[in-house]
Amino acid sequence: MHRVVITGLGVVAPNGNTIHKFTNAIKNGESGITYVPRLKELNFGCCIGGISEIDTSSLSSHLKESKLMNLKNTSITYGLTAALEAWLDAGLQPTPELNPADVDTGCIFGSGFTDMELSRFVIDTVNSGNVKMLGPRLAEQMMNSGVSAYIGGMLGLGNHVYSNSAACSTGTESLVMASRSIKHGYAKRMVVGSCDSYSPYTWGMFDSMRVLCRSANETPISGSRPMSKYANGFVPGAGAACMILESLESAIKRKAHIYAEIAGGSICCGGQRQTGTMTAPNSYRVSQCIEEAIVSANEAPANVDLICGHLSSTFADKVEIANWSRALNRSGSEFPFINSLKSMTGHCLSAAGIIESVAAVLQLHHQFIHPNLNCEELNPEILELIDESRIVRTTTQKDISVVMKASFGFGDVNSCIVLKKIKNYGNSLKPC
Amino acid sequence: METPSNLVKIASILKPYIEDHEFQNLKSSDHLVNDLNIDSADLVCVVLDVENSYGIVIEDAAIENIKTVADILTIVESTVDK
């Protein structure tokens, strides 16, 4: 069994499209949620969102000009950008074009929806009788594994390269799956992440479900309010993030910078039984997922310092808090600190788990807890479970050693990871 | 008939598809796969770009015979001349 550590980070988030910008944003409580005029034109109830800014300048040195020129899928562009930043941050270089593939490194990079704008282009082009104009570079971008295929090619990866999809649990699930590959020796290193792009054709389906926030079109940054008394729907978002995971031996051997250890994790499904449905989690299985993650990390629930929740700013926030409380057997002022990045980014769907996990790693690495915005008045049902001091509302410097991050998605799917700070990096390296 | 201007034009079409950013002095004898590292999907893109650039249609059967820069030039010269 190998221990798994994080040696590189990359992010394209609504409130920061590099690790440097993102770190500053979450420290300062900066929202990336804005008014989206196109949604208003299309008669959406929710006209706000968190749309990550695209900057492909870093890709031009590592992709053929023709490949970049023909890259039409925004999800893949997000994913490539985050993956390249993480790879370089880990002190690695892409395998040169003429070298053999790097057989020690694999990739699991997920997505939820394909780029619906690109789907529309394909449908319109075919329907207009101009199928020839689609060209040869769209099939590879429309396939579900498109993003991992592009990343694998850019970096020259020769181990298991694939894409997962588990709705809003996708990013956190990818971390658990990659950790297992390294833990059991199938790979030394994994490029891990997920992505989701903005499109009214994706967001419209959620708007029609009436699960989006409709009350903040005039004040976009106040729309995402996890744990607030006034939480009334999530704000959609788009982006990607990536982590480089590798075995502790590999990281030490190449003297890599280590951000944190992924000490454990769990994935499960509620089977849409008991309290679970297609769109709501089975609370018993959520609690068990958290419990299994803690056990796999060989950690005591009492040692958890911070929970980076799924907490999407809906009525389900209070249910999630109850599930955490039951799983950790902690409540009131004994409950860990808790926050939700979605208060700044909105809910980035399949990218949410990985973007929020990057935020969790940054908090652990830099020893701070980012604020949970827009919860001046807390949900009273949540306050029946935990003390209000546990819900962090201003940036707080804290000595934190163990952080848990969980994500839940449609299909009643759950995933959870346990992050630990690494102390004494060197000869006597051990988790704190 | 191959003309220098056509070679220059084809070179500008091929440039984004060539991995080596420093590559210069394209020769008509260059093999698209072996020398320029252009894969089969990119070759289709090149054909589309040539068609758009010259306002011509290159038949599927002709595409199969494109191996070198000279082959592209031959198709262009013969089609445009018509």
Side-chain angles (χ1 to χ4, degrees):
Chain A
M1 294 287 195
H2 301 271
R3 287 169 63 183
V4 181
V5 295
I6 300 159
T7 55
L9 300 175
V11 72
V12 184
N15 62 343
N17 61 358
T18 64
I19 286 296
H20 177 70
K21 290 178 186 172
F22 182 66
T23 304
N24 286 338
I26 64 173
K27 269 187 179 170
N28 297 327
E30 292 169 7
S31 173
I33 297 168
T34 58
Y35 180 70
V36 184
R38 191 176 174 200
L39 301 181
K40 179 67 178 172
E41 292 162 16
L42 294 170
N43 299 318
F44 276 53
C46 172
C47 302
I48 60 176
I51 302 174
S52 297
E53 187 182 338
I54 296 175
D55 178 1
T56 58
S57 57
S58 62
L59 296 176
S60 58
S61 310
H62 300 279
L63 281 182
K64 261 187 195 178
E65 188 182 340
S66 63
K67 201 160 260 185
L68 199 53
M69 198 169 67
N70 287 308
L71 188 55
K72 309 294 184 195
N73 185 319
T74 307
S75 288
I76 295 177
T77 307
Y78 280 154
L80 278 170
T81 308
L84 182 61
E85 185 184 25
W87 190 254
L88 298 176
D89 183 49
L92 299 161
Q93 286 296 322
T95 306
E97 184 79 12
L98 299 178
N99 285 20
D102 170 5
V103 298
D104 292 330
T105 307
C107 172
I108 172 168
F109 215 103
S111 65
F113 297 93
T114 189
D115 185 332
M116 297 280 271
E117 300 287 323
L118 189 54
S119 300
R120 180 190 171 187
F121 170 76
V122 171
I123 292 166
D124 287 350
T125 304
V126 171
N127 283 346
S128 65
N130 291 311
V131 63
K132 188 179 173 184
M133 297 312 295
L134 292 178
R137 287 290 180 205
L138 287 186
E140 64 200 27
Q141 295 180 50
M142 292 298 289
M143 63 189 190
N144 290 336
S145 58
V147 65
S148 56
Y150 266 78
I151 292 169
M154 177 176 69
L155 301 178
L157 308 182
N159 203 281
H160 191 180
V161 173
Y162 65 119
S163 291
N164 65 318
S165 189
C168 304
S169 185
T170 301
T172 307
E173 179 186 88
S174 67
L175 287 169
V176 179
M177 294 168 74
S179 297
R180 289 173 178 171
S181 288
I182 295 169
K183 188 176 178 181
H184 296 289
Y186 292 109
K188 285 183 183 171
R189 192 179 299 111
M190 292 291 286
V191 179
V192 191
S194 61
C195 53
D196 231 324
S197 57
Y198 153 71
S199 168
Y201 308 115
T202 304
W203 293 4
M205 293 181 277
F206 294 102
D207 196 73
S208 181
M209 288 175 75
R210 296 171 185 268
V211 294
L212 301 186
C213 173
R214 297 176 167 215
S215 59
N217 291 337
E218 307 297 320
T219 54
I221 63 172
S222 73
S224 189
R225 316 159 184 150
M227 296 181 283
S228 163
K229 179 181 179 180
Y230 304 106
N232 61 357
F234 75 81
V235 175
C242 180
M243 291 192 201
I244 307 302
L245 306 190
E246 62 185 298
S247 70
L248 181 59
E249 300 95 307
S250 169
I252 289 173
K253 189 176 176 184
R254 63 183 195 86
K255 296 184 172 61
H257 173 74
I258 297 178
Y259 283 97
E261 177 175 11
I262 297 189
S266 178
I267 303 168
C268 73
C269 183
Q272 300 172 44
R273 298 293 187 271
Q274 296 167 291
T275 63
T277 65
M278 176 62 79
T279 56
N282 176 337
S283 289
Y284 303 100
R285 292 298 286 148
V286 167
S287 291
Q288 286 166 354
C289 185
I290 296 165
E291 290 166 14
E292 287 165 12
I294 278 280
V295 168
S296 73
N298 195 27
E299 193 55 77
N303 292 338
V304 177
D305 298 305
L306 171 66
I307 294 168
C308 296
H310 181 73
L311 300 168
S312 55
S313 184
T314 69
F315 72 92
D317 291 353
K318 60 178 183 287
V319 179
E320 181 181 336
I321 300 286
N323 293 338
W324 281 106
S325 180
R326 183 169 53 245
L328 300 178
N329 193 26
R330 293 171 65 179
S331 58
S333 59
E334 298 302 314
F335 194 77
F337 290 109
I338 188 164
N339 60 10
S340 172
L341 183 75
K342 290 186 181 75
S343 64
M344 297 182 225
T345 58
H347 187 346
C348 295
L349 304 176
S350 291
I354 192 73
I355 294 175
E356 292 162 17
S357 292
V358 166
V361 171
L362 288 169
Q363 290 172 94
L364 185 60
H365 184 63
H366 295 294
Q367 295 287 282
F368 73 98
I369 302 177
H370 73 63
N372 195 90
L373 306 185
N374 304 317
C375 56
E376 291 78 10
E377 287 190 66
L378 294 163
N379 183 327
E381 291 179 79
I382 290 175
L383 293 179
E384 289 174 11
L385 299 167
I386 64 174
D387 189 82
E388 66 173 335
S389 65
R390 314 319 287 170
I391 300 171
V392 181
R393 282 172 280 183
T394 56
T395 303
T396 308
Q397 293 296 318
K398 279 284 176 193
D399 186 9
I400 49 177
S401 298
V402 181
V403 177
M404 293 192 75
K405 166 71 203 149
S407 295
F408 315 112
F410 282 9
D412 201 4
V413 291
N414 315 305
S415 54
C416 182
I417 56 167
V418 181
L419 299 165
K420 285 189 191 178
K421 185 183 172 193
I422 291 243
K423 273 185 183 171
N424 305 323
Y425 178 37
N427 293 332
S428 59
L429 192 148
K430 59 185 178 182
C432 53
Chain B
M1 189 70 185
E2 176 186 322
T3 63
S5 64
N6 275 334
L7 184 61
V8 170
K9 197 167 176 179
I10 296 297
S12 70
I13 289 172
L14 289 173
K15 186 174 175 294
Y17 301 94
I18 299 172
E19 185 75 28
D20 184 354
H21 295 284
E22 304 303 317
F23 187 90
Q24 288 178 337
N25 300 325
L26 186 78
K27 299 187 294 293
S28 60
S29 60
D30 283 337
H31 194 281
L32 298 171
V33 176
N34 299 341
D35 296 322
L36 304 181
N37 202 25
I38 293 174
D39 67 22
S40 58
D42 273 348
L43 179 58
V44 179
C45 289
V46 169
V47 169
L48 287 171
D49 289 350
V50 170
E51 287 183 328
N52 290 336
S53 182
Y54 284 94
I56 60 175
V57 174
I58 300 175
E59 299 301 328
D60 290 351
I63 296 172
E64 292 172 13
N65 295 324
I66 296 176
K67 307 292 181 201
T68 64
V69 175
D71 295 334
I72 299 176
L73 286 164
T74 302
I75 290 173
V76 166
E77 306 286 348
S78 62
T79 311
V80 170
D81 284 349
K82 289 175 185 174

